[in-house]
Amino acid sequence: AGFDLVLVLDVLEHIADAADFVRNDLIGMAEPGTPCLVAVPAYQRLFGAHDVALGHHRRYGRSQLLGEVTPWIDVVDHGSLFTSLLLPRAVQVALERRDATGTAPADHGIGGWSHGAALTGVVNGALALDARVGRRLGQIGVRLPGLSHWVFGVAR
């Protein structure tokens, strides 16, 4: 018997052959009809030092993600997250490419955040608002791009 729910959140980008992982590992984890949620970083053109520091092999386009998971799940819905972070990420990658260092600082990533409670609260509030706006727009059929793609479906 498989799991009652399968969450694959920020996993596929860490696996060299993610399509093989889906075919050979994920397919057997759930009975048909089991809810499955997958999320990955979006847009290969935003691949940069942050991704290298985190051990990513790639970022995903929407169609690439859908293509990798549809052998495993019947997609019910899909969308994006972190719309408000897309432009800052694009600027960060452009600056990296201009500087041509290609390396991330040692404190790069969420573990390196040390900007105090006040700024952390502002960032959390902004991301919560981002999520609420994205969810509301999605309910009326407006899909904005974001820094992450997600897919929800049921196992085949």
Side-chain angles (χ1 to χ4, degrees):
F3 294 100
D4 296 328
L5 170 68
V6 179
L7 302 174
V8 184
L9 307 177
D10 295 308
V11 171
L12 296 181
E13 68 274 13
H14 294 275
I15 299 169
D17 190 341
D20 183 66
F21 175 73
V22 169
R23 281 190 310 274
N24 295 317
D25 295 293
L26 290 180
I27 286 177
M29 289 187 175
E31 299 292 326
T34 299
C36 303
L37 179 64
V38 180
V40 295
Y43 305 113
Q44 182 62 27
R45 67 183 170 269
L46 295 179
F47 192 93
H50 175 77
D51 296 287
V52 171
L54 294 176
H56 294 175
H57 291 273
R58 77 199 68 72
R59 298 178 74 87
Y60 282 81
R62 185 180 320 263
S63 61
Q64 180 185 6
L65 174 60
L66 290 169
E68 282 190 7
V69 300
T70 53
W72 169 46
I73 63 174
D74 290 320
V75 174
V76 173
D77 200 4
H78 61 89
S80 295
L81 298 169
F82 309 120
T83 298
S84 62
L85 296 179
L86 196 55
L87 181 59
R89 177 71 182 137
V91 169
Q92 179 186 29
V93 170
L95 291 173
E96 283 175 12
R97 290 183 182 147
R98 188 193 71 191
D99 294 343
T101 62
T103 59
D107 65 348
H108 202 66
I110 193 71
W113 180 265
S114 60
H115 299 289
L119 184 56
T120 299
V122 169
V123 170
N124 283 340
L127 292 176
L129 177 62
D130 179 294
R132 282 194 304 275
V133 169
R135 202 167 35 249
R136 296 280 186 208
L137 290 173
Q139 290 170 341
I140 61 170
V142 176
R143 297 201 185 263
L144 297 176
L147 202 54
S148 292
H149 291 311
W150 60 268
V151 173
F152 175 76
V154 294
R156 295 177 181 255

